Structure formats: structure tokens, C-alpha cells
């Protein structure tokens, strides 16, 4: 499931750019309602690469957490979402093998 970054998840001003149907034209509430319905019984959702859509990811996470009491969100990214209840778990970058290392295929 992919959600466009420009999609206004909750409040915060007018719908996205331009008139007409589609994401950003006022149907964000319907999309959020559908996500809540689908995720109501889920325990975990992954939001990956949030640094590229930080504000939208934070709005989505807050909206889902507020409406899905059992839900936990694992959000990855280089920056914190800065929402209530957020816990940070920094992960060190992976090291690459030296260029002359043999390629092990198991």
C-alpha cells in the first residue's frame, strides 16, 4: 500500500494542488477512513523511508494511532517523526566488505 506524500491526511489547510478527483483533492478523509477500517485489527504497520515525506508520515502516524488503539508503527528514516509516544532506536550504517573480498553465495 502506497500513499502519495502530498496527500493531506488530517486538517492543516486546503486540500492538495489542483481541482479534480484523486489524491490531494479532498478525498484524504475517505482514504484515512479506509486505512483505519483495514488496519483496525492490525498490531504493526511499517512506514519506510519517512525522511522523504516526514510531515505527511507524521500526520498519517498520528491519525492512525489516534484511531487504531492496538496499532504500533515502525517508522524508518534518518529523522524522527516528532510525535507523541515516539521511541527512537538508532541503527548504525552497515559496513561494506572490502572491494577485493570474495563474493559468498549461500
Amino acid at each position: 500500500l502506497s500513499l502519495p506524500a502530498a496527500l493531506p491526511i488530517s486538517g492543516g489547510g486546503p486540500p492538495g494542488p489542483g481541482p479534480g478527483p484523486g489524491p490531494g483533492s479532498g478525498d484524504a478523509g475517505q482514504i484515512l477512513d479506509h486505512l483505519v477500517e483495514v488496519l483496525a485489527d492490525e498490531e504493526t504497520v511499517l512506514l519506510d523511508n519517512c525522511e522523504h515525506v516526514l510531515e505527511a508520515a507524521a500526520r498519517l502516524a498520528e491519525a492512525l494511532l489516534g484511531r487504531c488503539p492496538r496499532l504500533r508503527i515502525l517508522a524508518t528514516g534518518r529523522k524522527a517523526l516528532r510525535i507523541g509516544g515516539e521511541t527512537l532506536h538508532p541503527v548504525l550504517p552497515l559496513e561494506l566488505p572490502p572491494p577485493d573480498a570474495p563474493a559468498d553465495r549461500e
Side-chain angles (χ1 to χ4, degrees):
L1 181 61
S2 178
L3 198 61
L7 188 64
I9 296 301
S10 62
S25 66
D27 59 355
Q30 292 174 341
I31 293 172
L32 179 60
D33 289 344
H34 181 70
L35 283 172
V36 168
E37 182 181 320
V38 169
L39 300 173
D41 295 324
E42 296 296 325
E43 293 182 12
T44 307
V45 168
L46 171 66
L47 299 179
D48 196 22
N49 290 331
C50 292
E51 68 269 12
H52 302 292
V53 290
L54 196 58
E55 290 180 31
R59 286 194 310 270
L60 176 61
E62 283 186 315
L64 290 175
L65 291 170
R67 293 178 59 185
C68 301
R70 295 180 54 208
L71 190 65
R72 295 180 136 208
I73 295 178
L74 174 59
T76 69
R78 295 175 186 220
K79 296 182 180 181
L81 295 180
R82 297 180 186 245
I83 62 173
E86 182 174 25
T87 303
L88 301 180
H89 296 278
V91 177
L92 297 175
L94 297 174
E95 292 184 23
L96 294 173
D100 58 345
D104 291 337
R105 302 249 179 194
E106 293 180 30

